[in-house]
Amino acid sequence: MPTLAMEADGDVEKFMALLDEKIHEAKDMLIERFEWICSQSADSAKFMYENHTMLGYHPEEGIRSALKHGTIVIGQLGLAETLQILIGCDHTDPKGMELAKRIELLFKTRCAEFKQEYKLNFGVYYTPAENLCYTAMKKFKAKYGVIENVSDKDYFTNSIHVPVWKHISPFEKIDIESQLTGYSSAGCITYVELDNAASKNLDALESLVNYAMDKDVPYFALNVPNDMCLDCGYTDEFDDHCPVCGSHNIQQLRRVTGYLTGNYTTAFNPGKVAEVRDRYKHVNDLPNWRR
Ligand SMILES: [Zn+2]
């Protein structure tokens, strides 16, 4: 989306028209891919088709009979940067939120139309774009250079998320993102970043979960860092070495996207690693957090 915003020269109407065009192109690509997969023989995954693991499969109809129940989704990246290019603020500002809703409504409406037209489960997916967040930014920078609050880092912001470096409380983050999660018909995540002290304050954790549920967030996560020294076993949050024995033989577990991954510094590309390091700890805005 940020590239489309640049191509539109900051003209919102032009951007909306370009985006609509791209959503239709994405649909055509998805249909082509779906048809290609459906043209395969059931023998390509014999075990699955012969053991009732693929719901709805009828041998006489081919594998399409099972695959038509899957989801076909259009993802998106960098809403915050897109808004910044188009109107000079992101969706933490009411003006940005207004345009954000218009953009997301276009995704949702088109996918609902495609679903009717093709009788397939088209949907909008708020993706972390684990690789694209970095590769798209590299291409963007090569073409447009460094633009403040848009390309002055190594990654684009995850889907509709509030930029990770924004200093806001977890409740504000939930307030903002929950206004958009309803437009995602295929999947999304909202998380807040906590520090290691979170595990000692169960009441606060419960308040956050209840708050997110009250705001109708479909998938809510609390991210707590977990670093472990592989020599002495000490566990906490620390930098590049163990504060107890000084060892650099450590494992840094982070919830970078929807799941826990081993050492995040080697499991993800430099863009995503930079994004994790920039993540503001939202508990900093809760004065009584450590009580
Ligand atoms: Zn140690």
Side-chain angles (χ1 to χ4, degrees), residues 229 231-234 242 244-247:
C229 173
D231 284 333
C232 77
Y234 180 72
C242 169
V244 173
C245 75
S247 170

Side-chain angles (χ1 to χ4, degrees), residues 57-231:
Y57 175 61
H58 299 293
E60 64 283 3
E61 288 174 36
I63 66 172
R64 175 188 295 267
S65 56
L67 295 181
K68 69 183 180 190
H69 299 295
T71 48
I72 297 187
V73 303
I74 299 178
Q76 57 175 282
L77 179 61
L79 175 69
E81 288 86 357
T82 303
L83 295 169
Q84 199 74 49
I85 296 165
L86 292 174
I87 54 172
C89 67
D90 60 39
H91 50 313
T92 55
D93 183 299
K95 192 177 139 207
M97 180 56 84
E98 202 184 315
L99 181 54
K101 286 178 178 171
R102 198 180 151 201
I103 292 170
E104 297 312 321
L105 184 62
L106 180 66
F107 274 99
K108 191 179 181 181
T109 307
R110 288 293 176 255
C111 284
E113 288 168 4
F114 300 153
K115 190 172 176 173
Q116 284 304 317
E117 190 181 341
Y118 295 90
K119 303 290 175 223
L120 289 168
N121 298 316
F122 274 96
V124 189
Y125 182 44
Y126 290 165
T127 167
E130 287 142 330
N131 288 314
L132 191 65
C133 75
Y134 176 61
T135 53
M137 179 56 94
K138 270 210 294 194
K139 286 181 187 167
F140 186 97
K141 271 190 195 172
K143 199 166 176 186
Y144 302 111
V146 174
I147 302 169
E148 199 185 348
N149 289 327
V150 174
S151 55
D152 49 0
K153 44 196 168 12
D154 289 329
Y155 55 89
F156 279 119
T157 298
N158 179 336
S159 62
I160 56 93
H161 283 185
V162 168
V164 296
W165 62 87
K166 286 262 170 177
H167 289 211
I168 57 172
S169 79
F171 297 104
E172 286 173 284
K173 189 173 193 287
I174 295 166
D175 281 341
I176 294 164
E177 293 183 6
S178 64
Q179 294 182 57
L180 298 173
T181 49
Y183 293 97
S184 165
S185 44
C188 61
I189 183 169
T190 283
Y191 61 73
V192 296
E193 289 290 319
L194 306 176
D195 60 21
N196 207 262
S199 55
K200 300 168 190 83
N201 194 339
L202 294 182
D203 288 344
L205 294 182
E206 196 178 341
S207 306
L208 285 170
V209 171
N210 287 337
Y211 192 78
M213 294 303 99
D214 287 346
K215 294 276 173 172
D216 210 19
V217 170
Y219 178 8
F220 180 65
L222 301 160
N223 290 350
V224 183
N226 188 304
D227 297 333
M228 187 195 238
C229 173
L230 299 176
D231 284 333

